[in-house]
Amino acid sequence: MTGTDSPAPVLDRIRVGSAPDSWGVWFPEDPRQVPWRRFLDEVAEAGYSWIELGPYGYLPTDPARLGEEVARRNLRVSAGTIFCSLHRGPAEWDGTWEQVSRVAALTRDMGAGHLVVIPSFWRDDKTAEILEPAELTAEQWGHLTRGMERLGREVKETYGLDIVVHPHADTHIDTEEHVARLLDATDSSLVNLCLDTGHYAYCGGDSVRLIETYGERIGYLHLKQVDPEILAGVVAEGVPFGPAVARGVMCEPPGGVPELGPVLTAAQKLDVDLFAIVEQDMYPCPPDKPLPIAVRTRRFLRSCGA
């Protein structure tokens, strides 16, 4: 260490993990994805102790079997994930709750405390076909915010989990403006945020500023970076998210933006325990690609104090 260097801060409120997404897993079944046993073996080998469930059905859905598989690798589950279209109104509730019930039950049975909620896409993830307008009407915003509050209340009452809403590219909750609108219109006791640093940067947001402004609403973190040069091309050409990922828009830290050290330091200052789950979108990817990246990323996060 030189005289100008300083040790990384100790981020003792941050619990680091990784997810199937960082192994190129987007679907319950896909021959281009690594088998689930290999994911579990390699995520443990890379030095992580926390994982997410990923797409429901990728990992075993029997809680006893999954519990045995993760425990023997010294892993624990931090969250499950669902997609929903609550902006479409009350008619969406029954279908949403059917999906939630499966995922939330397994999440609870694995001892996790969070359900990550991702809005549905407004354009097709592969073809760029426009499925809905990119902007919601005032009525749809009302459906969305009331629906999220109902979801937060019923998930907490039924499963004991907290929902954290995940801003995501090509969805209606993406930009700083849309994220602020969601948070300002919802009850903090029912709805909080999963800040995905990569998606937020993809959509022009500043993660540190969001943490400093809405710190009490940050319930969970996904750690991800974007390659600014690839992103510029994606934006200029109107490329949908799936093909953008195939171009490498989500890149290995620390080669992109935002800088994760300042994000983690800002999160530590909130003085609450937070999961920070690495998610480097790489679908599809060669099966031997994820593990070396995961090892290097874990080493990098340790250098940040996490």
Side-chain angles (χ1 to χ4, degrees), residues 133-145:
E135 293 289 333
L136 297 178
T137 65
E139 180 182 30
Q140 289 173 320
W141 270 108
H143 289 321
L144 174 64
T145 54

Side-chain angles (χ1 to χ4, degrees), residues 153-212:
R153 181 181 301 108
E154 299 205 17
V155 165
K156 185 180 288 287
E157 290 177 354
T158 307
Y159 298 102
L161 306 176
D162 293 322
I163 72 163
V164 282
V165 179
H166 182 318
H168 197 292
D170 287 359
T171 78
H172 295 110
I173 305 175
D174 49 3
T175 62
E176 290 186 339
E177 177 187 359
H178 290 164
V179 170
R181 185 166 182 172
L182 170 76
L183 295 177
D184 291 344
T186 52
D187 185 337
S188 62
S189 70
L190 300 173
V191 178
N192 284 300
L193 205 68
C194 170
L195 169 57
D196 184 302
T197 60
H199 279 281
Y200 202 54
Y202 188 108
C203 299
D206 183 323
S207 289
V208 171
R209 183 165 65 221
L210 181 66
I211 293 170
E212 291 174 348

Side-chain angles (χ1 to χ4, degrees), residues 10 17 36 54 61 80 95 102 109 120 125 127-128 174 176 192 275 297:
V10 178
W36 63 267
T61 56
R102 293 192 300 270
D109 291 346
S120 58
D125 197 26
T127 68
D174 49 3
E176 290 186 339
N192 284 300
F275 284 106
T297 300

Side-chain angles (χ1 to χ4, degrees), residues 22-290:
S22 297
W23 267 256
V25 175
W26 277 13
F27 303 102
E29 296 182 13
D30 189 312
R32 293 188 289 183
Q33 297 176 169
V34 298
W36 63 267
R37 289 182 180 85
R38 179 170 180 176
F39 160 68
L40 291 178
D41 289 342
E42 292 188 351
V43 73
E45 182 182 343
Y48 296 98
S49 53
W50 294 93
I51 62 166
E52 291 185 358
L53 294 177
Y56 182 81
Y58 173 66
L59 295 175
T61 56
D62 174 70
R65 183 184 182 197
L66 181 56
E68 179 182 339
E69 294 285 354
V70 298
R72 68 186 183 86
R73 296 171 173 88
N74 295 314
L75 297 170
R76 296 178 64 186
V77 175
S78 61
T81 302
I82 64 113
F83 286 81
C84 66
S85 303
L86 294 173
H87 67 283
R88 295 176 187 160
E92 286 290 312
W93 179 260
D94 288 347
T96 299
W97 189 251
E98 181 180 359
Q99 177 199 176
V100 166
S101 297
R102 293 192 300 270
V103 178
L106 181 59
T107 303
R108 174 201 61 198
D109 291 346
M110 296 309 300
H114 295 87
L115 186 68
V116 177
V117 179
I118 303 177
S120 58
F121 286 61
W122 56 261
R123 66 175 167 182
D124 189 276
D125 197 26
K126 298 181 181 65
T127 68
E129 176 190 358
I130 303 299
L131 307 173
E132 298 181 76
E135 293 289 333
L136 297 178
T137 65
E139 180 182 30
Q140 289 173 320
W141 270 108
H143 289 321
L144 174 64
T145 54
R146 289 191 297 272
M148 287 295 186
E149 287 185 328
R150 180 182 179 186
L151 187 64
R153 181 181 301 108
E154 299 205 17
V155 165
K156 185 180 288 287
E157 290 177 354
T158 307
Y159 298 102
L161 306 176
D162 293 322
I163 72 163
V164 282
V165 179
H166 182 318
H168 197 292
D170 287 359
T171 78
H172 295 110
I173 305 175
D174 49 3
T175 62
E176 290 186 339
E177 177 187 359
H178 290 164
V179 170
R181 185 166 182 172
L182 170 76
L183 295 177
D184 291 344
T186 52
D187 185 337
S188 62
S189 70
L190 300 173
V191 178
N192 284 300
L193 205 68
C194 170
L195 169 57
D196 184 302
T197 60
H199 279 281
Y200 202 54
Y202 188 108
C203 299
D206 183 323
S207 289
V208 171
R209 183 165 65 221
L210 181 66
I211 293 170
E212 291 174 348
T213 305
Y214 285 97
E216 74 283 356
R217 304 299 296 274
I218 306 299
Y220 200 91
L221 296 172
H222 278 169
L223 301 181
K224 188 179 293 171
Q225 286 189 322
V226 295
D227 181 313
E229 291 188 10
I230 296 176
L231 179 62
V234 164
V235 173
E237 298 171 37
V239 176
F241 184 66
V245 167
R247 289 189 184 191
V249 71
M250 299 299 182
C251 62
E252 178 182 345
V257 296
E259 289 187 60
L260 294 181
V263 171
L264 291 166
T265 298
Q268 171 75 17
K269 290 178 182 177
L270 298 177
D271 202 30
V272 295
D273 291 332
L274 283 174
F275 284 106
I277 305 299
V278 177
E279 273 203 335
Q280 183 185 344
D281 292 288
M282 290 195 294
Y283 178 85
C285 69
D288 293 333
K289 183 178 180 180

